[in-house]
Amino acid sequence: MVMYFKKVVLILTSLFILAVFCGCDAVDSLFTSGDTYKINAYIGEVSLDECSFIALEDEITPFFEEFVSKDPDITSLIISIAKAGEDIPGWRTVYSLKKETEQYSRAIQVDSLDIEVPSFIIPENLPAGFYSMVFKVMGGKNVLQRTEKDFYYMGNIQFSYEGIDVHLPGISENQQLISKGQVVLLEAKLEFDPALDPYFIWYNGKNIITEGSYSEGASLVLWKAPEHSNFYQLSAEVLPVKGFDTLAGYSRNLSVLVSSNAVDVNLISENVPELVNWYVFEGNLNDSKTASVEAVRSITPSNNNINIDPKWLPANGTYGLAAGFGNAFTLPKTVVPTGRDSWQLLFRFMSLEEGSILSVNFGASANVVMDLSIVEKNIVLTLSSPLRNVSRVYNLPLDKESFITMGVSFSVAPGLVTAKVNVLGETAEEGELALAPLRLEANAGYEFQILLGQVNEEAPSAEQGEADDTQEEQEETIRQFDPYFTAIWDEFALYNKPPMELIVQEIKSAQIYE
C-alpha cells in the first residue's frame, strides 16, 4: 500500500511541474504548436495549394489562413527555400512585427501578420527544379511552428495556359450548347517550352475523364455529353512537369450546357434514298446512315497503316478526322450495280498541307485511280491508268483557316471514266461552281474503294540508301516518308446517282450555318 501511495504522489508531482513550465516562455523552444498556425502563400492570385508551380518574377505573398493578431507568442515569420530537406543558405525573407524589440537584420517590419504583407520573388539565380518553401512562425528566437510546402520553380522556362476550348462536330452556332449524347472535342490551349512534356488530368466535376501527357495527345480529349439536361463543369489540370505527387498543377474550367433543345446541323441528312455511306466523324469512324454499328460500314485504317489510331483535330469551333500521307483510311468497298454507273461524293474538309486528300481506286486490281490533291492552294483532279494520266487544275484558293464544301461526280462506263468537281463558291449565282468534267479511256471494272489520305509505303532505312550517299542525304530520304496530315474531314457522303437538285439544296442549307 505504501509503494502504491508513493507512485501516485510521484505522478501528481510530475503533472504539477509540467503545468508550471507550460506557463513559461522558455518551453516554446521545446514544444511546438503542431498545426496550430495554418500558413500558406499566394502565387499571384492563387494559393500554393492550388498551383505549386512558380515562374520567374511571380510575386509570392504569404498569409495566415486564420487570424493570429491576438496571439501574444508570435513575433515574426521567416520564409526560406529548402532542397532535399536542407535550407538553401544566403536567402530568406523575414516579416517582423514592429512591436518586437529584438529585430532581425533586413527584416520587413509590419504592423500585423493578418493584413496583406509585402510580396517577394524567388532569387533569379535559383536553378529550375523541385523545392520546398519553409515557413517558420517565430516567438522571439524560438520556432513555434515549421511548415513546408513543396513547389516546382520554373525559372524562365516558357509555360502559359490560356484555357479550354470546346469543339462540336458538324456546324454549330453556340459552342457552349451541346446536345444530349453528343461527342465533343475538348482542347487545352497552352504554349510551352519544347523541352517540356506537360501532363493533363481532365475532370467532369470531381470525376476524372482521362489523363496523360502531351506527347500522348492528352491536350485533346473526346467527351460524350450525358443524357440529362444540365450545366456541367469541365476542367483540366496541367502539370508542366510530371513525377511529383505533392504538386498541384495549373487548372482551368469550362461550364457547358447539355440540352435536348440543341440543334445538330450536318451538311446532309439520312433521308435520301440514294445515300450509300455517310460519315459525320463524331469521335468515331462509324457510318451514320444507320443507328446500328456495322463493322462492314465503318471506315478503317488502310492496310499499310493498320496500327494508327484516328487523330481528331479541332478547327474553327468544330473538329474532324485528320488524314494524310501515312494516315490513310479506307471506306467499305462498293460494287457497281448494272445500270447504276453514276456516283457523287459530297464532303466538308479543311486543307492542312499539300498532297493527296482522297482517291477512288477502281477495279479489283485498283489500277485505275481518281485522285483529288491540293497543290499550291489549288485543287487538282487526276484520272490515271497504266496507260495514261489526265489532270485538271482548278484555280480556287483554299483557306487553311476555314472549311470548304465540295462535291465530286464520277461515272463508270465500259472503257470510260469521267469525273467532275463541284465547289461551293461565294460568287456563284446558284451557290455552286460546276466545273468541266475530266475524261479517261480505261476499263474501271465493277467495284471501287475510296481512300481518305494517302498510303505511306514502307520508309527506307539508312542501310537501303545509295552506298555513296552522305548521312545527311540518307536522313533526308527517310524524312520524305514521315507521315503528315493533308486535311481535316468534318463530313463525308457517297451517293448513287443522286439528283443534282437535291445536292445543291443540301449545300445551300448547310451554308446558312457556316
Side-chain angles (χ1 to χ4, degrees):
M1 179 63 70
V2 174
M3 290 297 296
Y4 176 80
F5 179 78
K6 288 183 178 180
K7 287 182 178 180
V8 171
V9 171
L10 181 61
I11 293 173
L12 292 174
T13 303
S14 300
L15 290 174
F16 175 77
I17 295 172
L18 181 60
V20 171
F21 270 99
C22 286
C24 301
D25 292 338
V27 79
D28 289 338
S29 61
L30 302 175
F31 299 96
T32 65
S33 303
D35 293 331
T36 300
Y37 307 110
K38 298 186 182 300
I39 185 72
N40 208 330
Y42 284 116
I43 312 300
E45 297 181 354
V46 298
S47 73
L48 197 56
D49 292 339
E50 296 172 306
C51 183
S52 307
F53 290 84
I54 302 177
L56 185 69
E57 297 184 355
D58 271 350
E59 293 188 348
I60 304 169
T61 309
F63 68 95
F64 285 89
E65 297 179 2
E66 297 176 353
F67 290 117
V68 295
S69 56
K70 295 184 179 180
D71 191 321
D73 296 329
I74 299 179
T75 58
S76 58
L77 173 65
I78 300 177
I79 302 174
S80 59
I81 296 176
K83 181 79 170 179
E86 297 292 333
D87 283 2
I88 296 176
W91 182 88
R92 69 177 181 181
T93 297
V94 181
Y95 298 93
S96 182
L97 293 174
K98 292 180 179 180
K99 67 178 183 179
E100 174 65 11
T101 57
E102 186 176 353
Q103 297 287 344
Y104 291 91
S105 60
R106 293 181 296 177
I108 302 173
Q109 296 187 9
V110 296
D111 293 321
S112 172
L113 293 172
D114 285 338
I115 62 175
E116 183 175 332
V117 298
S119 59
F120 64 91
I121 60 175
I122 300 294
E124 295 183 1
N125 59 351
L126 186 69
F130 181 77
Y131 297 91
S132 294
M133 190 171 296
V134 181
F135 303 87
K136 295 177 183 177
V137 182
M138 305 298 295
K141 293 295 185 180
N142 300 316
V143 179
L144 303 180
Q145 179 176 301
R146 176 188 172 102
T147 302
E148 293 190 16
K149 289 185 178 292
D150 296 335
F151 71 95
Y152 193 97
Y153 182 56
M154 299 287 290
N156 57 4
I157 298 176
Q158 180 191 11
F159 184 88
S160 63
Y161 183 10
E162 299 176 13
I164 302 172
D165 285 351
V166 57
H167 305 274
L168 278 63
I171 308 164
S172 177
E173 295 177 317
N174 189 342
Q175 303 306 313
Q176 264 63 48
L177 187 61
I178 301 172
S179 299
K180 293 180 179 180
Q182 193 174 49
V183 179
V184 302
L185 183 69
L186 305 175
E187 178 188 16
K189 302 282 290 185
L190 64 161
E191 296 181 359
F192 56 91
D193 190 287
L196 299 176
D197 188 15
Y199 194 83
F200 301 79
I201 307 174
W202 289 92
Y203 294 90
N204 175 13
K206 295 183 179 180
N207 299 319
I208 294 179
I209 301 173
T210 186
E211 58 183 292
S213 62
Y214 183 86
S215 60
E216 297 170 331
S219 63
L220 298 168
V221 60
L222 294 170
W223 178 70
K224 185 175 182 179
E227 295 295 336
H228 301 285
S229 298
N230 206 343
F231 281 97
Y232 291 88
Q233 283 291 124
L234 305 176
S235 62
E237 180 185 2
V238 182
L239 293 91
V241 179
K242 183 68 169 59
F244 305 99
D245 295 335
T246 58
L247 300 183
Y250 297 89
S251 291
R252 301 289 185 271
N253 58 68
L254 176 74
S255 180
V256 296
L257 174 61
V258 175
S259 172
S260 58
N261 297 325
V263 179
D264 182 17
V265 181
N266 294 114
L267 183 64
I268 60 174
S269 68
E270 61 181 339
N271 300 320
V272 180
E274 293 83 4
L275 186 60
V276 178
N277 296 113
W278 177 35
Y279 303 92
V280 296
F281 302 116
E282 192 171 326
N284 61 61
L285 302 177
N286 299 332
D287 191 320
S288 304
K289 180 174 168 53
T290 61
S292 61
V293 178
E294 303 176 39
V296 70
R297 301 180 63 85
S298 298
I299 292 178
T300 57
S302 68
N303 292 335
N304 294 60
N305 309 125
I306 195 66
N307 294 322
I308 66 173
D309 293 324
K311 180 72 172 180
W312 308 98
L313 292 183
N316 290 347
T318 185
Y319 73 94
L321 174 69
F325 182 72
N327 294 274
F329 296 85
T330 57
L331 274 69
K333 187 172 294 186
T334 301
V335 177
V336 179
T338 303
R340 306 291 295 274
D341 60 352
S342 296
W343 305 83
Q344 170 90 25
L345 304 178
L346 183 63
F347 47 84
R348 251 172 56 96
F349 77 101
M350 175 183 287
S351 170
L352 296 179
E353 297 291 342
E354 292 189 359
S356 176
I357 62 171
L358 74 85
S359 61
V360 181
N361 301 284
F362 297 96
S365 59
N367 58 1
V368 178
V369 179
M370 179 181 73
D371 179 80
L372 196 67
S373 300
I374 305 300
V375 179
E376 296 181 354
K377 294 186 178 182
N378 295 318
I379 301 168
V380 179
L381 177 65
T382 302
L383 295 177
S384 62
S385 71
L387 300 178
R388 186 185 176 205
N389 296 342
V390 292
S391 298
R392 180 166 289 123
V393 178
Y394 303 98
N395 298 315
L396 298 174
L398 293 175
D399 185 0
K400 289 187 177 181
E401 299 300 323
S402 61
F403 282 87
I404 184 171
T405 303
M406 181 180 296
V408 177
S409 303
F410 61 95
S411 298
V412 180
L416 181 66
V417 178
T418 63
K420 181 179 68 171
V421 171
N422 304 287
V423 181
L424 181 66
E426 295 179 358
T427 59
E429 295 181 0
E430 300 298 327
E432 183 187 59
L433 295 179
L435 305 176
L438 196 62
R439 300 166 61 90
L440 174 69
E441 294 182 359
N443 291 315
Y446 298 97
E447 63 182 30
F448 62 84
Q449 191 162 32
I450 301 170
L451 184 73
L452 302 182
Q454 184 179 357
V455 173
N456 183 2
E457 303 296 340
E458 184 177 356
S461 62
E463 291 76 12
Q464 293 175 305
E466 299 292 335
D468 56 349
D469 282 352
T470 65
Q471 182 176 353
E472 291 183 356
E473 291 173 334
Q474 292 174 349
E475 291 176 352
E476 177 61 27
T477 300
I478 295 174
R479 274 196 299 271
Q480 294 176 2
F481 288 83
D482 288 345
Y484 62 91
F485 299 120
T486 55
I488 299 175
W489 296 93
D490 173 66
E491 191 168 352
F492 191 97
L494 169 66
Y495 292 88
N496 182 212
K497 295 189 71 174
M500 188 52 61
E501 296 80 4
L502 179 60
I503 299 300
V504 174
Q505 183 179 357
E506 296 278 7
I507 293 176
K508 288 182 178 179
S509 299
Q511 187 182 21
I512 297 174
Y513 299 95
E514 288 187 325

